[in-house]
Amino acid sequence: MKSQITKLVANGLHKEGIYLYSQIHSSFCPTKFSFPCLFKSCAKLRNIPQGQILHAHLLKYGFDTDVYLATSLINMYMKLALMDSALKVFEEIPQPNTASLNATISGFSQNGYHVEAFRMFGLFSGLQLRPDSVTIASVLSGCRNINYGVQMHCWAIKIGEDMDIYVATSLLTMYLNCADCVSATRLFELVQNKNVVCYNAFISGLLQNRVEEVVLDVFKQMSLDEEPNAVTLISVLSATANLKNVKFGWQVHGFIVKNELQSHTLVGTALVDMYSKCCFWLCAYKIFKELGGNRNLITWNSMITGMMLNEQTEKAVELFMELESEGLKPDSATWNSMIIGFSLLQKETEAFMFFRKMLSAGVVPSAKSVTSVLTACSSLSSLRCGKEIHGYIFRMENIIDEFIVTAIIDMYMKCGQFSLARKVFDQLEVKYDDPAVWNVMISGYGRNGEGEAAFEMFSLMLLEKVQPNSATLNCMLSVCSHIGNLEKAWQIFSLMITDFGLAPTLKQLNIMVDLLARSGRLDEARELLQLIPEPSASVIASLLAASEHFSNAKMGEEMTKKLSDLEPENPVPFVILSNLYARQGRWDNAERIRESIDERGLEKLPGYSTVGVT
């Protein structure tokens, strides 16, 4: 009878195996070999009550001290996420062995309890047991603590298992999960007889750490040693897409065709994604069509996203409408592709229309799609639509995060409703450490001409010990620029450099030059301009305009020369300089500059006005 149960379980007939046992267990005495396969079935079926019944039967028949059965029971409880029950079983084993300890460690790791797994590993020395390759790999599974990981690497070397392919692959994954690509690469180079799993672990880890160029090099090396499989190709195509290296993508595509993997759903989807991101949407669409019945919802979503990415909005809408003809239903990702795509293409009306349709279809939007549609409301200055979205978010409390709150505040600020924006900000129970929400408040106040409120918000930010970033400095300097407060700008500029260690960016230096120029401090503006490696035409033009306003001919001549070097076809600098000379009564110089404009063949575009009719 035991063999019948074992055979049913081996063939995947778990319910039938348990049913047979329940029918006959009272009429025959099970042996200790009857239980392991039944524990496995309970784990597969997620049947906790039946597992506990079997545990009770095991105790009834006196098998509770058998280490082999206890190990099977630990495995079952761990797979059912009943860690306390599994640990209790382990603690009641009279003489645990390596297998039972490995089962406990592996269970903790698989359930995300990595600290507990590492603690259990410490029992090996106390129990005078020797860890093996399974132990090391189990502790490393999902480990994201570099200190624990390095200790396990040392243990692997100590017991001579560091070059075991199973252990080496686990070590590679650990280092890459901890973003230590250097240690991972060193280890990878030491591993002999690498297999496909080892290569795939290394490639996917490199991709995760955004070192795509190295992914392509490792793939070339792999092609000489091992036959890449579908998992390899998906990772490599993703790296190729991120690099927009379509030439390498063509080579990988050729390899896929040669190995007849083009009809593989996930590989085909990766090809669609790669060609779309490389701006070859026609190639992507051709592959999408060739996949035919092998397409799944992910493939459709990838193609729709690709069309949006390449500004083929009509095709994207057409695909969205066709999707249901294959018996598929748009999911959250499908709707997000449409909403985010329209929003990025500044087609805000269409983005909002699809958002409404999504809600009507009963699909819960993601945080990203809500943020996108709020951005669309901001661009349209549509306060009514923005309030609708805010009301929806208020009702769906579970989707609120700092990005959405920032988007709500930004929407109200761009709609001129800074009092509503402040109300949202003040209702935050805990102010975020991320400066983004503070920055949007500061820039919003500046945009609405509320300079004092912006300064108050900056002071509150420092009081709350939120670390300003470069964007904060941009916001504050822009506010100072709008209201023409040079002294406050210098104060903030110096504070950011000395107290917060921020290196000024070109944009920030440009703002300071412009402020100095407009305040008549032309020499200081020129000194600061000299610190900018490649000043933009706009900042030089600002200094030139200030030279005209404050009648500084010497500065005007210098700025005209700089600007004409940058924009030799632009006559405006010469016109400004000519006007400056004319204001000073230097008519000969003014005439000379006018003649120079004619000699250079420059033509000043006439001004014009437009009238909008509604």
Side-chain angles (χ1 to χ4, degrees):
M1 196 58 68
K2 173 250 172 187
S3 61
Q4 283 182 274
I5 294 170
T6 305
K7 192 173 180 181
L8 286 169
V9 173
N11 289 322
L13 301 171
H14 301 289
K15 283 184 180 177
E16 290 78 359
I18 289 173
Y19 178 76
L20 179 59
Y21 172 79
S22 65
Q23 292 298 307
I24 62 167
H25 83 273
S26 57
S27 59
F28 89 109
C29 185
T31 68
K32 66 178 183 180
F33 301 107
S34 306
F35 289 97
C37 62
L38 292 168
F39 290 147
K40 181 182 176 182
S41 292
C42 291
K44 282 281 184 185
L45 297 170
R46 311 288 302 167
N47 191 333
I48 294 172
Q50 187 62 53
Q52 290 170 333
I53 290 169
L54 287 169
H55 187 178
H57 288 179
L58 184 142
L59 295 171
K60 176 184 173 182
Y61 291 111
F63 297 135
D64 51 311
T65 57
D66 187 282
V67 69
Y68 172 68
L69 285 180
T71 303
S72 298
L73 189 55
I74 290 167
N75 270 321
M76 180 196 74
Y77 278 131
M78 284 298 187
K79 283 173 182 171
L80 293 170
L82 299 173
M83 277 73 72
D84 289 341
S85 298
L87 189 59
K88 191 170 185 297
V89 172
F90 175 80
E91 289 169 348
E92 289 174 354
I93 300 174
Q95 289 186 312
N97 60 10
T98 300
S100 59
L101 193 45
N102 282 351
T104 310
I105 291 168
S106 176
F108 275 127
S109 288
Q110 286 167 12
N111 283 287
Y113 291 84
H114 304 295
V115 175
E116 287 78 0
F118 197 76
R119 184 179 61 80
M120 292 300 295
F121 176 77
L123 297 179
F124 269 98
S125 54
L127 294 170
Q128 296 184 331
L129 296 172
R130 181 180 173 83
D132 56 17
S133 61
V134 176
T135 315
I136 305 296
S138 297
V139 177
L140 288 169
S141 174
C143 175
R144 291 182 183 272
N145 184 310
I146 192 72
N147 294 323
Y148 290 162
V150 169
Q151 288 181 58
M152 295 315 301
H153 194 172
C154 293
W155 261 101
I157 294 169
K158 182 179 177 180
I159 64 175
E161 296 286 0
D162 56 313
M163 287 299 109
D164 174 270
I165 195 65
Y166 182 44
V167 172
T169 303
S170 298
L171 285 166
L172 275 175
T173 304
M174 178 275 297
Y175 280 123
L176 290 164
N177 283 342
C178 296
D180 188 350
C181 296
V182 174
S183 297
T185 303
R186 284 178 186 155
L187 175 62
F188 182 76
E189 288 169 353
L190 292 172
V191 178
Q192 303 296 317
N193 303 317
K194 302 176 186 75
N195 61 13
V196 176
V197 176
C198 182
Y199 269 109
N200 286 350
F202 190 48
I203 286 171
S204 63
L206 291 171
L207 180 63
Q208 175 186 308
N209 284 282
R210 302 307 300 267
V211 279
E212 289 93 350
E213 287 285 0
V214 183
V215 169
L216 306 192
D217 292 336
V218 174
F219 176 69
K220 290 175 192 173
Q221 178 190 336
M222 180 183 183
S223 301
L224 302 173
D225 299 337
E226 286 285 337
E227 185 77 11
N229 61 12
V231 175
T232 322
L233 296 167
I234 292 163
S235 294
V236 173
L237 285 169
S238 181
T240 308
N242 292 343
L243 291 168
K244 294 183 170 49
N245 187 342
V246 74
K247 288 185 179 178
F248 198 90
W250 287 332
Q251 293 176 42
V252 178
H253 190 179
F255 178 89
I256 289 166
V257 172
K258 182 182 174 184
N259 289 272
E260 299 181 348
L261 286 167
Q262 67 269 32
S263 59
H264 188 289
T265 301
L266 296 180
V267 173
T269 303
L271 277 169
V272 167
D273 180 65
M274 183 273 294
Y275 279 123
S276 295
K277 287 178 178 172
C278 291
C279 302
F280 282 73
W281 70 270
L282 284 170
C283 293
Y285 191 58
K286 184 171 181 285
I287 290 161
F288 175 78
K289 285 292 186 185
E290 288 172 354
L291 278 167
N294 293 316
R295 297 180 298 216
N296 62 11
L297 186 56
I298 297 169
T299 316
W300 281 86
N301 289 347
S302 182
M303 190 69 258
I304 290 169
T305 303
M307 288 300 183
M308 282 295 190
L309 195 63
N310 288 277
E311 301 184 21
Q312 302 298 313
T313 53
E314 289 183 10
K315 275 282 185 189
V317 173
E318 185 184 309
L319 285 166
F320 185 87
M321 303 301 287
E322 285 178 17
L323 191 149
E324 292 187 348
S325 66
E326 289 209 3
L328 298 170
K329 191 175 180 181
D331 65 356
S332 179
T334 322
W335 289 101
N336 289 345
S337 296
M338 299 300 293
I339 294 163
I340 295 166
F342 278 125
S343 184
L344 289 173
L345 293 171
Q346 298 183 330
K347 296 192 174 188
E348 293 86 2
T349 305
E350 290 88 342
F352 194 70
M353 180 187 72
F354 266 89
F355 184 78
R356 278 181 165 159
K357 283 184 176 180
M358 177 173 67
L359 296 184
S360 298
V363 177
V364 177
S366 69
K368 196 168 182 182
S369 64
V370 171
T371 305
S372 294
V373 82
L374 280 168
T375 304
C377 294
S378 302
S379 301
L380 290 169
S381 295
S382 177
L383 181 60
R384 185 178 63 80
C385 293
K387 282 184 171 180
E388 275 186 47
I389 306 299
H390 188 186
Y392 173 79
I393 293 165
F394 184 77
R395 293 191 298 275
M396 302 288 290
E397 291 182 3
N398 58 319
I399 65 168
I400 294 179
D401 64 15
E402 61 187 279
F403 299 106
I404 289 178
V405 169
T406 303
I408 292 170
I409 292 171
D410 187 52
M411 180 272 296
Y412 280 129
M413 284 295 191
K414 285 178 178 171
C415 290
Q417 300 292 316
F418 53 86
S419 59
L420 290 177
R422 183 59 184 260
K423 189 177 179 182
V424 173
F425 180 83
D426 288 341
Q427 283 175 347
L428 291 172
E429 292 180 9
V430 178
K431 300 296 187 284
Y432 297 119
D433 290 336
D434 189 330
V437 69
W438 296 86
N439 293 347
V440 84
M441 283 295 297
I442 293 166
S443 64
Y445 276 133
R447 189 182 296 109
N448 285 283
E450 298 290 320
E452 288 305 316
F455 295 142
E456 180 217 327
M457 185 57 60
F458 180 66
S459 299
L460 183 61
M461 180 183 185
L462 299 182
L463 194 65
E464 292 279 344
K465 294 185 169 44
V466 177
Q467 183 83 7
N469 59 11
S470 189
T472 315
L473 181 53
N474 285 346
C475 295
M476 289 306 301
L477 291 180
S478 294
V479 171
C480 294
S481 178
H482 285 147
I483 63 175
N485 192 331
L486 175 62
E487 298 309 318
K488 191 73 175 177
W490 265 125
Q491 181 188 341
I492 292 165
F493 189 73
S494 302
L495 177 75
M496 290 294 193
I497 295 169
T498 55
D499 288 22
F500 297 105
L502 293 173
T505 64
L506 291 178
K507 181 179 179 181
Q508 291 153 5
L509 289 169
N510 287 345
I511 293 172
M512 290 306 299
V513 169
D514 177 60
L515 260 172
L516 285 165
R518 286 193 284 122
S519 302
R521 292 159 68 168
L522 301 184
D523 290 334
E524 291 176 63
R526 180 172 54 190
E527 284 176 25
L528 195 56
L529 184 71
Q530 288 169 351
L531 297 176
I532 304 174
E534 293 180 7
S536 65
S538 62
V539 73
I540 297 172
S542 172
L543 203 42
L544 176 58
S547 302
E548 182 192 14
H549 181 75
F550 292 102
S551 199
N552 188 324
K554 186 179 177 183
M555 184 75 75
E557 289 162 2
E558 185 184 337
M559 293 306 119
T560 298
K561 185 177 183 311
K562 285 181 181 291
L563 203 52
S564 64
D565 287 342
L566 278 177
E567 299 178 340
E569 305 281 319
N570 185 4
V572 174
F574 296 101
V575 173
I576 292 173
L577 184 60
S578 174
N579 292 342
L580 195 161
Y581 284 141
R583 284 179 61 185
Q584 293 182 341
R586 297 166 62 179
W587 302 109
D588 291 345
N589 288 339
E591 184 59 31
R592 178 173 54 80
I593 296 296
R594 292 284 177 177
E595 288 171 0
S596 173
I597 293 173
D598 293 336
E599 286 168 10
R600 290 169 181 255
L602 302 177
E603 212 172 297
K604 184 176 182 292
L605 294 173
Y608 65 92
S609 300
T610 59
V611 177
V613 180
T614 58

